[in-house]
Amino acid sequence: MPAEFYALSVKQPWAALLAAGVKTVEVRTWSTERRGKILIHASKVPDPRPEAWAWVTTPELTTAAELVGGIVGVAELTDCLRYPTKPKFVADRGRHLNDPEWWVETGLYGFAFRDARPLPFVRWPGNTFFFPVAAELGETV
């Protein structure tokens, strides 16, 4: 077990969808070389856009998406995909769930996850990029 685990902060409802395995790609404007087990952190501020919340279709997802400001799940980061064009971004919508209009001219990256699962909520401060969490928190996964 590594001495340090890393987490990625994601706005709700995306964090709940990622932890549930409904969403398997998290889109960012920056790439990463990081791979392996990553804790999913629900940021304190949720995404206000109704199109994001339209993906929350079960009572379990609704409850999970209400959790903010802490660790909500874990998944294995397996790849960093590149979306250099809007058609490539749109073609992968079934994995990242983002509206096609969210694509930007500079391109986007998709962090591909597998084996996601929710974890009992643990309140924890977040950060914009990957951030380390205490080893004892990582040991719960």
Side-chain angles (χ1 to χ4, degrees):
M1 176 126 350
E4 192 167 55
F5 271 81
Y6 285 86
L8 180 64
S9 199
V10 180
K11 289 185 175 186
Q12 289 288 27
W14 306 114
L17 293 164
L18 192 58
V22 175
K23 176 181 173 75
T24 59
V25 172
E26 173 59 18
V27 174
R28 298 293 163 126
T29 57
W30 45 276
S31 67
T32 185
E33 296 294 321
R34 188 170 303 284
R35 301 292 184 272
K37 198 175 283 191
I38 302 293
L39 295 171
I40 302 163
H41 177 273
S43 65
K44 288 183 181 179
V45 179
D47 189 330
R49 297 173 287 198
E51 58 269 27
W53 292 89
W55 294 101
V56 179
T57 58
T58 67
E60 295 81 13
L61 280 174
T62 299
T63 299
E66 292 171 352
L67 300 170
V68 294
I71 304 297
V72 296
V74 63
E76 184 174 348
L77 175 55
T78 61
D79 199 2
C80 182
L81 310 170
R82 176 87 171 108
Y83 299 120
T85 65
K86 188 172 183 178
K88 186 165 174 116
F89 179 70
V90 171
D92 217 13
R93 185 172 189 210
R95 296 173 66 193
H96 59 66
L97 310 180
N98 294 329
D99 187 281
E101 297 310 310
W102 296 356
W103 185 79
V104 294
E105 287 293 325
T106 55
L108 294 168
Y109 297 90
F111 300 170
F113 288 94
R114 72 171 179 214
D115 300 329
R117 62 184 168 88
L119 292 175
F121 181 75
V122 176
R123 187 156 306 284
W124 203 267
N127 201 324
T128 303
F129 297 96
F130 288 100
F131 60 95
V133 297
E136 61 270 15
L137 181 58
E139 290 173 9
T140 65
V141 301

